[in-house]
Amino acid sequence: MVELSHSNLDKTTVIQQIISSCFGAIITSLIVTPLDVIKTRLQAQSNPFAKGKCFVYSNGRMDHICVCENGNSKAWYKKPGHFKGTLDASVKIIQREGIKSLWSGLPPTLIMALPSTVIYFTCYDQLSEALKSRPDMDDEYVPILAGSLSRFGSVTVVSPLDLIRTRMQYRKLSYKQLYTCISSKVATDGWLSLWGGWSSTLLRDIPFSAMYWSNYETFKKMLCKEVGAQEPTFLIAFTSGAASGSIAAVLTQPFDVVKTHRQTGLWESETLKIPQRHCTSTWAVMRKIVTKNGITGLFAGMTPRLFKVAPACAIMISTYEYGKSFFSHLNEKTD
């Protein structure tokens, strides 16, 4: 097997890795967001969102639960339209509302995606190097451990911010009102209440990350060997990212379904003033879904998720690798 040369990480600083991850997150969000905006508009057209109901919105880097605030058509996801399909919707939205409408809802979600992505990718690279330097560590396990630990860190840090962002989004709270709301929640339920939904997110994201990075590193080495490349090209990183992201998405789909059920149930219970049932653990929700819809219910929405996850993973990792490669060569020139 052709061994890859030393990773670009050997020649890049932490700041350069952070810049590369930001670059990747922004590019990914700019490309993937229009696809989800169109999907949401088509969904609202065929099945109008009721007041207080929730839907999942993605910017390519993160999924977000959005709560419908009112029954009128002023919100971006409720604007009227008669679309026959994805292409027809994209053309008509641009013609009637301007091209900016394809990025509706992006700014608030991008604020969440950037810190999460920076922590995730930078920690992965740093942990990989630290684990590889250990003489007792098998290289095959490095991506699994580094991917799992970095995702654990990013989810844990961002969870309270996501809770705060969602509350601001559907209640239109001022910062003073938000502080009062969070303070009362902490006083009543304790600090751990700020990490509501954390466990179900980890159950989906840690296995996803472990499989993603393990497969990505394997595919990358295979393709580099196939073409005789010493370093992964943009196309190799793109292909490896798409393939590994697709495999991880399929295998973790049941946990994604459960997470969405739990989150939508939580926010709808608050906005519609419906008492939250006690059986809301991950396994209880999973049993409920299987009882109601069978085992196939745990894989509901897999095709739309694949259409988001595969390109998002491919674009993110290839632009991140490109950014590191750019800084690597820049550093060599300045040495």
Side-chain angles (χ1 to χ4, degrees), residues 144-254:
I144 297 173
L145 284 172
S148 299
L149 290 171
S150 56
R151 177 57 79 181
F152 178 88
S154 64
V155 169
T156 302
V157 170
V158 172
S159 279
L161 299 177
D162 193 35
L163 181 73
I164 292 169
R165 180 198 60 80
T166 309
R167 288 186 178 277
M168 288 188 74
Q169 180 184 354
Y170 82 82
R171 288 189 184 175
K172 299 296 182 185
L173 302 174
S174 66
Y175 287 107
K176 185 177 180 180
Q177 291 172 322
L178 178 67
Y179 176 77
T180 303
C181 176
I182 298 299
S183 297
S184 62
K185 183 174 180 60
V186 169
T188 304
D189 303 322
W191 282 100
L192 290 179
S193 63
L194 296 180
W195 278 266
W198 173 77
S199 59
S200 58
T201 303
L202 287 180
L203 278 172
R204 180 195 67 174
D205 287 2
I206 286 184
F208 181 97
S209 297
M211 286 184 280
Y212 172 78
W213 285 110
S214 179
N215 288 324
Y216 173 73
E217 298 291 355
T218 301
F219 291 147
K220 185 173 70 173
K221 288 180 181 179
M222 287 172 56
L223 291 174
C224 282
K225 178 186 176 182
E226 191 72 24
V227 301
Q230 291 296 308
E231 288 187 350
T233 62
F234 183 89
L235 184 59
I236 287 175
F238 188 94
T239 305
S240 301
S244 54
S246 298
I247 293 170
V250 170
L251 295 177
T252 59
Q253 180 64 17

Side-chain angles (χ1 to χ4, degrees), residues 24-84:
I26 292 170
I27 295 296
T28 305
S29 298
L30 289 175
I31 294 174
V32 177
T33 294
L35 300 176
D36 216 50
V37 167
I38 291 168
K39 184 215 74 174
T40 302
R41 294 284 293 273
L42 288 169
Q43 181 183 350
Q45 173 183 276
S46 60
N47 186 23
F49 299 133
K51 180 180 179 181
K53 284 292 182 179
C54 301
F55 66 93
V56 180
Y57 168 82
S58 174
N59 64 3
R61 290 304 310 137
M62 298 181 73
D63 288 341
H64 301 275
I65 301 296
C66 295
V67 183
C68 297
E69 300 160 2
N70 48 52
N72 60 33
S73 60
K74 292 180 181 178
W76 68 265
Y77 48 83
K78 289 187 178 181
K79 288 182 179 178
H82 300 283
F83 311 127
K84 299 175 183 177

Side-chain angles (χ1 to χ4, degrees), residues 10-11 20-21 34 47 114 128 138 163 181 186 192 204 226 229 231 234 263 275 317 330:
D10 296 336
K11 308 166 189 175
S20 298
S21 59
N47 186 23
L114 284 175
S128 292
D138 189 328
L163 181 73
C181 176
V186 169
L192 290 179
R204 180 195 67 174
E226 191 72 24
E231 288 187 350
F234 183 89
Q263 283 191 316
I317 195 63
L330 186 67

